[in-house]
Amino acid sequence: MNACFSAATTQLSLYWNADDNVEDIRRYTAGGFHPIRLGDVLSPPLSNSDLSPARQYRILHKLGHGAFATVWLAEALHAPSQRYVALKICAAEADSRHELDTYNRIPAGDEMQNVLRLRYSFSLQGPNGVHTVLVHDVLGNLLDAVNAPGGRKHARMLCRQIACGLTALHRHGIVHGDLHSGNVGIALPTLDEHSPYSILDYFGEPECTIVLPTAPQANPEALPPYLVAPILVIDFLASKDPAFADTPLCAVIMDLGNAIAVDEETRPSCTAAAVCAPELMFERVVRSVHPSPTRASDIWSFACTMYELVFGLPLFYLAFPNDELLREMATLCGEVLSGWKSYWESRERLRSTHISREAADADWARQLEDFTKGPGETHTRAEIEEFFALLRSMLKIESERRVSAEEVLQHPWFARANDASG
């Protein structure tokens, strides 16, 4: 199945409803998620030719979830040199083979230091099917690091690191396809120095919602006994590890589940609306199709991500695939594509909006004033003018006119990216 598979769900009534920060319990069905209990030890099956010690991963806590997987903090019992890993346990129906093939295209070396490595992978048989498990380094949340006191000063440096990672991916023919702040993590190099007890003691007793259906289930083993709220490991390090505070932040692009190689067959894009390029969004809104992402659509997504990191605000508020988002995109860019004109004229809200280069210039000028006024602002007018020039070279409504990742990386705005104020 492709990366935009329809999530397998089943109707299920429970006595207690969990908060929004956990996965949908209805995904625990045939083809869906694998039920996990804290303390479970997962062991890949050994092959006849495997002479290395058996790998064992003990589940310690939840790190997060997405539409295609749950992610867990695990202790690598067999590898004292790397105590902790993140286990991404994919839904049985997910197209995990594609993600594995994408990781296999990534070469080793410093060039890819800002792209998450795949440490290992294995298959896991469960009541809901066969699941691919991807073993990665544990990463912190990018926005947590940037939004922490004093964290915003690192935004330019982090943007440059993301640009390095994206440039490396594009150079090797890989389009990320879903680049946004939630798909970029922060490396946690000092995590392995802490004991499981110290980490778990810091977060206290896990926040769990007991899974108790209101009616007997035909396949009760398909369900987990409880749903676990995730933890933010970076909070532990920021609070309890002075060495981490003194370690320069390092951004790492992750989640290649929606990535595509430029030489493979087209695959539908699943780019989040808030960072989705206009050419993809127009097809999604007008024709209900999802074209493949491209290097150029990655550039648009990256521009939206940089704006959020630098200013702490999304470029497009409450973004949904609709006419309003198309209108905001055209207004920002100051033009409507010729291929959009017939649709544009058929919608009263769109055709009545004044779209021009002059109006777009005025809007960017207003933003410049907003971000430079007040005694608490950390950006000079010249810095923001330079940053806006970079953004506008990336946010071209015509994809062919956008700069490449290489050109983004060479932009003068990044010249001071390693400064303390960057």
Side-chain angles (χ1 to χ4, degrees):
M1 301 182 68
N2 62 48
C4 292
F5 71 89
S6 299
T9 60
T10 184
Q11 294 302 314
L12 183 64
S13 175
L14 303 177
Y15 278 104
W16 301 286
N17 293 321
D19 293 335
D20 293 338
N21 62 345
V22 299
E23 65 274 20
D24 186 347
I25 186 62
R26 296 175 301 167
R27 292 290 284 118
Y28 287 96
T29 188
F33 293 156
H34 177 70
I36 285 289
R37 296 168 176 82
L38 298 180
D40 281 351
V41 176
L42 306 185
S43 298
L46 288 175
S47 66
N48 293 333
S49 60
D50 193 348
L51 301 179
S52 59
R55 296 173 184 263
Q56 290 187 313
Y57 302 98
R58 183 164 71 109
I59 302 294
L60 298 179
H61 219 303
K62 166 83 74 60
L63 293 176
H65 72 278
F68 312 101
T70 55
V71 185
W72 302 85
L73 174 66
E75 183 182 13
L77 300 177
H78 60 280
S81 61
Q82 184 180 21
R83 174 175 279 178
Y84 303 107
V85 295
L87 298 186
K88 179 178 179 179
I89 306 178
C90 300
E93 287 186 351
D95 187 3
S96 305
R97 183 71 257 168
H98 173 79
E99 187 168 1
L100 287 172
D101 289 343
T102 302
Y103 276 111
N104 288 335
R105 287 175 175 260
I106 297 176
D110 292 343
E111 178 189 17
M112 289 292 180
Q113 64 180 333
N114 297 114
V115 178
L116 184 62
R117 289 180 56 190
L118 177 65
R119 297 289 181 179
Y120 188 67
S121 67
F122 61 95
S123 294
L124 177 65
Q125 176 71 55
N128 295 324
V130 178
H131 308 263
T132 297
V133 182
L134 308 180
V135 183
H136 296 293
D137 293 339
V138 182
L139 298 178
N141 184 283
L142 174 66
L143 290 184
D144 284 339
V146 174
N147 292 334
R152 192 71 55 191
K153 69 181 181 181
H154 301 297
R156 179 171 10 202
M157 176 189 69
L158 294 170
C159 287
R160 187 183 189 283
Q161 292 170 352
I162 299 169
C164 288
L166 186 62
T167 298
L169 286 174
H170 285 188
R171 186 180 297 131
H172 290 280
I174 299 171
V175 172
H176 187 278
D178 195 20
L179 184 62
H180 56 77
S181 58
N183 278 340
V184 180
I186 295 294
L188 306 177
T190 64
L191 181 61
D192 284 345
E193 299 170 12
H194 299 273
S195 70
Y197 179 83
S198 62
I199 297 172
L200 298 182
D201 181 62
Y202 173 81
F203 291 103
E205 186 174 346
E207 179 185 338
C208 299
T209 301
I210 301 298
V211 175
L212 180 59
T214 57
Q217 298 297 297
N219 189 24
E221 63 272 17
L223 300 173
Y226 41 77
L227 294 175
V228 186
I231 58 172
L232 298 171
V233 178
I234 196 172
D235 287 357
F236 164 76
L237 294 176
S239 175
K240 298 295 185 179
D241 188 345
F244 176 73
D246 294 335
T247 303
L249 296 177
C250 178
V252 181
I253 296 174
M254 59 186 186
D255 196 348
L256 297 181
N258 292 322
I260 182 172
V262 295
D263 60 352
E264 70 177 310
E265 293 182 9
T266 59
R267 292 173 58 85
S269 65
C270 291
T271 313
V275 299
C276 187
E279 65 273 15
L280 304 183
M281 184 55 61
F282 183 81
E283 296 298 318
R284 193 179 300 183
V285 171
V286 177
R287 300 187 177 92
S288 298
V289 298
H290 293 70
S292 291
T294 64
R295 289 186 178 99
S297 66
D298 270 355
I299 295 299
W300 179 282
S301 298
F302 183 30
C304 296
T305 302
M306 289 201 300
Y307 186 99
E308 181 182 17
L309 292 182
V310 171
F311 298 125
L313 302 165
L315 182 57
F316 296 101
Y317 288 93
L318 300 175
F320 295 99
N322 55 25
D323 286 356
E324 179 60 23
L325 182 54
L326 295 178
R327 188 186 70 83
E328 291 178 5
M329 289 173 168
T331 300
L332 182 79
C333 297
E335 59 182 313
V336 178
L337 288 174
S338 57
W340 294 16
K341 290 295 179 62
S342 60
Y343 179 78
W344 208 265
E345 292 301 317
S346 70
R347 318 292 280 194
E348 194 279 331
R349 168 72 167 158
L350 298 180
R351 68 172 177 267
S352 63
T353 301
H354 175 62
I355 307 291
S356 70
R357 178 73 180 194
E358 293 73 22
D361 289 344
D363 182 64
W364 284 99
R366 283 192 295 271
Q367 291 193 62
L368 177 63
E369 295 302 322
D370 289 341
F371 287 125
T372 53
K373 66 184 179 184
E377 292 301 329
T378 59
H379 309 286
T380 67
R381 188 181 188 90
E383 287 173 339
I384 295 183
E385 286 178 338
E386 193 172 55
F387 181 54
F388 278 180
L390 170 57
L391 290 183
R392 296 189 74 177
S393 70
M394 302 167 71
L395 294 168
K396 301 291 187 183
I397 202 162
E398 279 189 291
S399 59
E400 298 83 1
R401 291 165 49 202
R402 292 175 209 149
V403 292
S404 67
E406 292 272 7
E407 291 170 318
V408 169
L409 191 55
Q410 295 167 8
H411 193 274
W413 185 71
F414 286 121
R416 293 181 295 277
N418 292 321
D419 292 351
S421 62

